[in-house]
Amino acid sequence: MTARETAVAVAHPNIALIKYWGKRDERLVLPFTDSLSMTLDVFPTTTAVRLAPDAATDHVVMDGAPAEGEVLRRATTFLDLVREHAGRRERAVVDTRNTVPVGAGLASSAGGFAALALAAAHVYGLPGDAEQLSRLARRGSGSAARSVFGGFVVWHAGDPDAPYPDRASYAEPVADARLDAALVAVVLEEGPKPVSSREAMRRTVATSPLYRDWVTDSRADLARMYTALRDGDMTAAGTITERNALAMHAAMEAARPAVRYRTTATDAVLGHVRRLRAEGVGAWATMDAGPNVKVLCAPADAQRIADRMREVTDARVVVAHRGPGARLRQVTA
Ligand code: PMV
């Protein structure tokens, strides 16, 4: 790949049906388990990266304001990694625009780091295919590895005994997935989460008596999910998705001190999802590192579920379908 001065990339968030929760290597961002997600067609992040050969530091603008603190540190650490791989030294100007609430468990970092990885790889002239890009995005935020691809995506944890564990952990599209699914996002809160997913994972791995069982269960869930996706079996996919999310939250709630992202509003929405099922509507819930709920369903049921959620909550409700992988929008030589 030839180096360019500016690149603009767009990427979408993904929601895991089989969750990633816990790193076996913090520096390389290597997870304990494989995870599987659906990339969405809503909430894109657009990121422009421009080389700034005369600048002494990176300059990062997020949603119109200069980034500072942890956000700036993570972006700069990521750019350092790209520069190290590319053998380059120039600093960069990054301008990133989210359409997803940041830090609220709606996977803003997934779309964000997938877009940053793609744009930065272009401006610094890093060679590699999409699989390689997923390894790079992984280092910014684990779930970002999956947003490199569209549709249903699996992120392989990789064999811990592989000679190069970094190479063994990458994402790719799920082959032969025949499921047609939608996700109804029930956005209860848009603020940043009280505990970062990084810290929450660390605490769960170190102190939760349920973590080992979570790892074992999650492997079994993944095997069943592959079958459900290949068979286009919505009921099976939904049942596994909801169970997997509840198990992840149970594991973190058993940590010391407990990590609790679910609120009473979350539990109320979970109750409405169960009620819909009792009425014969195929609806299954999943939650990430935040109070918001995403409801997995067949596309034909999405509107009805969204209408119900608007009726019974004052949440912002957004219907999403399968979306595309990360794309370059504009490249200036
Ligand atoms: O990519 P991170 O470090 O923000 O972790 C995300 C973890 C979950 O969203 C809770 C689960 C997942 O697999 O996306």
Side-chain angles (χ1 to χ4, degrees), residues 152-167:
F152 293 106
V153 181
V154 59
W155 168 23
H156 303 285
D159 179 356
D161 299 323
Y164 301 102
D166 171 61
R167 277 192 219 164

Side-chain angles (χ1 to χ4, degrees), residues 14-21 23 29 35-37 74 105 107 109-110 140-144 146 155 193 197-198 201 248-249 252 287-289:
N14 67 77
I15 296 299
L17 311 185
I18 304 294
K19 304 294 185 191
Y20 144 56
W21 197 251
K23 297 176 187 62
V29 193
S35 54
L36 189 151
S37 59
R74 280 182 75 179
S109 66
S141 181
S143 55
R146 299 184 310 236
W155 168 23
K193 51 201 168 209
S197 54
R198 189 168 295 212
M201 284 184 202
M248 175 183 77
H249 283 269
M252 64 176 97
M287 301 89 71
D288 293 285

Side-chain angles (χ1 to χ4, degrees), residues 33-34 36 41 93 114 123 132 171 225 275 288 292 317 328:
T33 58
D34 297 349
L36 189 151
D41 63 349
V93 175
V123 292
Q132 185 53 28
M225 183 59 84
R275 224 154 288 142
D288 293 285
N292 301 315
V317 178
L328 279 177

Side-chain angles (χ1 to χ4, degrees), residues 76-197:
T76 304
T77 305
F78 185 76
L79 291 168
D80 284 343
L81 178 74
V82 175
R83 284 187 280 261
E84 185 193 314
H85 284 195
R88 304 277 296 260
R89 302 169 66 93
E90 306 96 310
R91 301 284 140 180
V93 175
V94 176
D95 188 339
T96 187
R97 293 187 190 259
N98 292 292
T99 52
V100 49
V102 175
L106 276 168
S108 62
S109 66
F113 275 102
L116 179 60
L118 179 56
H122 264 257
V123 292
Y124 284 104
L126 261 192
D129 55 10
E131 190 182 292
Q132 185 53 28
L133 187 67
S134 77
R135 290 189 188 91
L136 181 64
R138 189 196 81 221
R139 299 287 294 274
S141 181
S143 55
R146 299 184 310 236
S147 275
V148 167
F149 298 97
F152 293 106
V153 181
V154 59
W155 168 23
H156 303 285
D159 179 356
D161 299 323
Y164 301 102
D166 171 61
R167 277 192 219 164
S169 185
Y170 60 91
E172 62 179 343
V174 175
D176 308 324
R178 294 203 302 118
L179 188 76
D180 201 6
L183 266 176
V184 179
V186 184
V187 186
L188 297 163
E189 279 177 38
E190 312 214 3
K193 51 201 168 209
V195 186
S196 71
S197 54

